[in-house]
Amino acid sequence: METLRERKKQRTRDALLRAAVELFTTRGYERTTVDDIADAVDVSQRTFFRYYAGKEEAALALQELVVTRFVAAVRERPAEEAPMEALKQAVLEGWQTLNEVIEAVVPVELYLRMYRVIESTPVLLAAHLRRNMEIEEAMARVLAEREGLDVEADPRPRLAVAVFGGVMRVTERQWSTGEDFSLEAMRALTISYLEQVGPALTENWRTR
Amino acid sequence: METLRERKKQRTRDALLRAAVELFTTRGYERTTVDDIADAVDVSQRTFFRYYAGKEEAALALQELVVTRFVAAVRERPAEEAPMEALKQAVLEGWQTLNEVIEAVVPVELYLRMYRVIESTPVLLAAHLRRNMEIEEAMARVLAEREGLDVEADPRPRLAVAVFGGVMRVTERQWSTGEDFSLEAMRALTISYLEQVGPALTENWRTR
DNA sequence: TGTCAATTGTCAGCGGCTGACACTAGCCTC
DNA sequence: GAGGCTAGTGTCAGCCGCTGACAATTGACA
């Protein structure tokens, strides 16, 4: 059973996030001040900063929900699965249940719109990429453990994860600049691109 | 022949950069204010912002010197070279002449120290990654042109470049956290890691 | 040398963010 | 259920990055 205090806090937290995302996706990130967000929730600016370390954190909070689930998903993949396959399955599986997770806070449509705001706002894109890097480091450790390797000694876990991350980034970008914003489109793109990585590295591009 | 005005401007520009890098590498990025930099060059804060769009730009200016040369190097690689090979050769070739380019502005040692500051300062690392992404996009277009492909239609150029970029990032990180900061160490790491990417993706890690 | 244009300094001000301190409101004990 | 305790909030002052506007200075060029 939750205490009243905790429920109140959670409500303010959610309200701030909703207000922030709403404003970011309509007015734009740069043109939204922290005061705007705080005012929308009828809270002091200082309080906003007690819930989120900064404007950036609020803007990336939704992504964070998805990302943490992804890491957990990889951890729970069967140990006999090959590294790249485990990563792939974890993402695809993640898309499936994305709806419920997001919808608990904001409409999925808002999440997708926010995603595009991140991709198109330099400072947010930068923060997003940095976060991805942290995730990749965590994933490398997970893979290394699965395979019984030492991350510091064997570069293969980090290399594999970096490649996977690279492909995902290309996929996301392609998806976010395309016309079909459905999850199904994302899924298809992911599978297709992952299949093409190997060939793209070794094969001669002109003979195909 | 350069005019006096232009020479003066260039001098201020260089002085600002030198002062900035000097301060960043000793005092740290966050703990250095723009006023500190401006004062060190005996110039108003406003003037600093006329030369550099922000603190960040000054911090990444040295990297920018290297990066632009890399793009140019790829462009001038023989057309018959395979894509990945062209990228690899361009980087390795770039390291060779790095000394002269950097030394024209600051001691190479300072450049290397600044590199570590970037890697260890969250906001700088983020900006750095974002810049890398822009470079990758440019590189993808170069590769596509070399091979006579349409970047928008064929994902292979972007995929190859993303993979290459991923490997380079892992390499850089490994290098910057290691003990040997020589260019030779970087070179060796790059070659070794590039060789291991293919196998890391397909082979079974446990049977080796 | 005097005019014109480029460069710089000064000033005022916004927005993100933080520390300090007082106040309010939920919690827990007696 | 009254009291004290503490977590959460608002207010205020202030730093820092950054920008626009305007005045002052300094090189360029006829």
Side-chain angles (χ1 to χ4, degrees), chain B residues 59-85:
Chain B
L60 300 177
L62 287 179
Q63 274 299 314
E64 197 59 26
L65 285 182
V66 178
V67 138
T68 50
R69 285 173 49 85
F70 169 60
V71 177
V74 176
R75 238 184 271 276
E76 283 163 17
R77 281 271 111 200
E80 64 276 13
E81 219 168 26
M84 292 298 280
E85 186 61 20

Side-chain angles (χ1 to χ4, degrees), chain A residues 83-101:
Chain A
M84 291 298 278
E85 186 62 19
L87 295 175
K88 175 181 165 188
Q89 293 305 328
V91 211
L92 295 181
E93 185 183 290
W95 298 138
Q96 304 289 25
T97 55
L98 187 141
N99 258 35
E100 316 154 19
V101 188

Side-chain angles (χ1 to χ4, degrees), chain A residues 1 3 5 35 41 56 59 63 65-66 77 79 82 102 141 146 176 179 189 199:
Chain A
M1 204 60 206
T3 164
R5 230 179 217 166
D35 281 312
V41 184
E56 241 180 57
Q63 274 299 315
L65 285 181
V66 178
R77 280 271 113 198
I102 296 297
R141 289 172 190 279
R146 280 169 56 105
S176 76
E179 282 151 24
L189 262 185

Side-chain angles (χ1 to χ4, degrees), chain B residues 11-180:
Chain B
R11 235 181 296 149
T12 329
R13 180 173 209 84
D14 289 353
L16 280 171
L17 182 52
R18 262 190 287 270
V21 172
E22 194 71 51
L23 286 167
F24 291 158
T25 50
T26 55
R27 213 180 292 180
Y29 178 76
E30 316 272 15
R31 302 179 40 163
T32 305
T33 73
V34 174
D35 281 311
D36 291 337
I37 304 170
D39 288 352
V41 184
D42 208 54
V43 156
S44 79
Q45 190 216 49
R46 195 66 181 86
T47 293
F48 171 89
F49 284 111
R50 287 198 178 96
Y51 282 94
Y52 296 95
K55 233 171 92 171
E56 240 179 58
E57 192 177 300
L60 300 177
L62 287 179
Q63 274 299 314
E64 197 59 26
L65 285 182
V66 178
V67 138
T68 50
R69 285 173 49 85
F70 169 60
V71 177
V74 176
R75 238 184 271 276
E76 283 163 17
R77 281 271 111 200
E80 64 276 13
E81 219 168 26
M84 292 298 280
E85 186 61 20
L87 294 176
K88 175 181 166 188
Q89 292 305 328
V91 215
L92 295 182
E93 184 182 290
W95 297 139
Q96 303 290 27
T97 55
L98 188 140
N99 258 35
E100 316 154 20
V101 188
I102 296 297
E103 202 82 31
V105 193
V106 297
V108 180
E109 198 252 337
L110 207 53
Y111 166 77
L112 297 178
R113 292 224 315 269
M114 189 60 216
Y115 191 89
R116 302 186 69 199
V117 172
I118 294 172
E119 287 269 341
S120 61
T121 307
V123 54
L124 286 185
L125 178 55
H128 177 62
L129 292 175
R130 182 172 165 283
R131 181 61 183 139
N132 280 352
M133 193 173 159
E134 288 175 9
I135 300 299
E136 284 178 22
E137 176 63 18
M139 300 306 310
R141 289 172 191 280
V142 172
L143 287 195
E145 197 179 348
R146 280 168 59 105
E147 305 289 318
L149 300 176
D150 177 6
V151 223
E152 306 301 338
D154 193 326
R156 288 178 298 172
R158 287 208 178 97
L159 285 175
V161 164
V163 170
F164 185 82
V167 175
M168 287 309 300
R169 259 190 28 238
V170 173
T171 310
E172 287 172 357
R173 190 141 194 90
Q174 186 66 26
W175 172 73
S176 78
T177 58
E179 281 150 25
D180 189 351

Side-chain angles (χ1 to χ4, degrees), chain A residues 9 27 64 69 77 80 82 89 92 112 130 140 142 163 177:
Chain A
K9 268 178 69 174
R27 214 179 290 180
E64 197 59 26
R69 284 173 50 83
R77 280 271 113 198
E80 65 277 12
Q89 293 305 328
L92 295 181
L112 297 178
R130 181 173 165 282
V142 172
V163 170
T177 58

Side-chain angles (χ1 to χ4, degrees), chain A residues 3-5 8 32-34 45-46 49 53-55:
Chain A
T3 164
L4 166 61
R5 230 179 217 166
K8 251 186 159 176
T32 303
T33 72
V34 173
Q45 189 218 49
R46 195 66 182 83
F49 284 111
K55 235 172 90 171

